[in-house]
Amino acid sequence: MSQTVIALGAHVFDVQVRPVEGIPEGQGAALVDQIRFGPAGTAAGTALILAKLGAAVRTAGAVGTDPIGDLLLSMLAGHGVDTSLVLRRDDTQTSASVLPIRPDGSRPAFHVLGANVAYGPDDAPHTQIARATHLHMGAPELMGGEAAAKILARARAAGVVTSADLLVSGDSGLFDWIALALPYLDYLLPNEDQVLGLTGAATLEDGARRFLAEGVGCVAVTRGARGALVVTKDDVIEIPAFAVDVVDTTGCGDAFSAGFLRGLGLGRGLRECGVLGCAAAALVAQGLGSDHGDFDLVTADVFATTAAILECH
């Protein structure tokens, strides 16, 4: 089945440092094993993995006219992502993060929002979106629900499948900020902390159903080492994570989104989509950065059928 995706929203340039157990005092220095950089963000990172999995992908959003933006776009293009819809801003820098990776793979972040917050409905390539099969919106909260709804509603009216992932951590005040966009989403792909934080729900399923009540068609929630939970009006599907040696969790959520959406484009069922999402996340987690791993759809499918799984608790 042919799948053409436009991933619209957050484009981030990540610099990763590992392992980091603390920041040296004063002007002290610490030796580390690895420093690298790469494309990331809930639009760009998802697009990169979608391209690896065989989808035709374009990204839309904004970056600066700085060298960071040049490098970010060139690296995306190197992975087969069409960046011709990305706008260049000369009044703000490209969004970027510095990620000190702890020995267990977790990472705090130092982040600049940059050009990502300068993008809105008037910038969106509506004609090109209408020609795609999927629109994935990365971080609709950066423009707000009202603005995001203007883009998503036009896509839905054109028969385009819509999805979104969130960038910021869960905060109860954010739910109302994005609420107007929710009725236009076929799929929402947040993480567990975001669902619980946004909704204030006592359980993850209850939190997912809060989004369903606002009009979202399906909520697929990542749960780290506990895999994913896919919730629709009629079904609750638990999908275990794969057992791998985790190096860095950067980009694992974006990889899950990419795998899940690629499964949809291939006509797979929701459970199989979740399995492909978890497989893509596991492959990315074994190295540094959102772009880690030389894999394709066949590799991911073989991994999903042969790798050990972690028990859900």
Side-chain angles (χ1 to χ4, degrees):
M1 297 178 66
S2 176
Q3 181 180 31
T4 56
V5 183
I6 291 182
L8 180 150
H11 286 62
V12 182
F13 186 82
D14 276 357
V15 178
Q16 303 102 10
V17 185
R18 71 172 289 267
V20 176
E21 298 186 74
I23 298 176
E25 295 184 2
Q27 298 188 62
L31 294 177
V32 296
D33 295 338
Q34 193 175 11
I35 298 176
R36 71 180 303 276
F37 52 79
T42 44
T46 302
L48 189 155
I49 304 301
L50 274 165
K52 285 187 178 184
L53 296 176
V57 192
R58 307 179 78 179
T59 61
V63 301
T65 54
D66 49 14
I68 296 177
D70 295 340
L71 190 52
L72 171 57
L73 296 183
S74 68
M75 293 186 77
L76 284 174
H79 285 284
V81 177
D82 181 342
T83 63
S84 60
L85 300 177
V86 178
L87 305 179
R88 306 299 298 266
R89 307 291 200 201
D90 59 11
D91 56 350
T92 185
Q93 77 158 83
T94 300
S95 177
S97 295
V98 175
L99 307 173
I101 313 299
R102 298 187 179 101
D104 67 356
S106 63
R107 77 286 181 270
F110 300 93
H111 183 66
V112 174
L113 288 170
N116 283 330
V117 294
Y119 192 87
D122 292 340
D123 299 309
H126 296 286
T127 299
Q128 289 82 0
I129 290 171
R131 296 172 181 162
T133 62
H134 288 64
L135 170 65
H136 179 68
M137 184 172 286
E141 69 274 18
L142 294 181
M143 68 176 73
E146 182 177 2
K150 293 178 180 178
I151 300 172
L152 292 166
R154 290 183 63 170
R156 283 279 292 272
V160 179
V161 176
T162 60
S163 60
D165 189 9
L166 304 175
L167 181 63
V168 301
S169 58
D171 183 289
S172 59
L174 190 63
F175 190 94
D176 291 339
W177 174 244
I178 64 171
L180 289 177
L182 299 179
Y184 304 103
L185 284 173
D186 295 307
Y187 300 91
L188 180 65
L189 304 152
N191 64 42
E192 182 173 21
D193 290 341
Q194 289 167 336
V195 170
L196 295 177
L198 284 168
T199 65
T203 70
L204 192 57
E205 182 180 342
D206 288 343
R209 293 199 180 281
R210 173 80 187 280
F211 287 104
L212 297 180
E214 294 294 325
V216 176
C218 172
V219 182
V221 189
T222 55
R223 304 188 295 170
R226 291 186 296 123
L229 187 74
V230 180
V231 183
T232 68
K233 179 182 177 181
D234 300 318
D235 295 303
V236 178
I237 305 168
E238 290 193 18
I239 300 163
F242 293 98
V244 296
D245 293 327
V246 175
V247 172
D248 175 20
T249 58
T250 302
C252 287
D254 299 332
F256 174 85
S257 294
F260 189 91
L261 297 176
R262 185 67 181 122
L264 291 174
L266 293 167
R268 298 183 182 182
L270 291 178
R271 179 177 295 279
E272 290 71 29
C273 290
V275 169
L276 182 55
C278 286
L283 290 165
V284 168
Q286 295 178 71
L288 203 60
S290 299
D291 58 344
H292 171 75
D294 182 16
F295 60 88
D296 57 14
L297 178 62
V298 172
T299 307
D301 280 339
V302 170
F303 174 86
T305 59
T306 58
I309 61 172
L310 295 171
E311 294 297 327
C312 289
H313 297 289

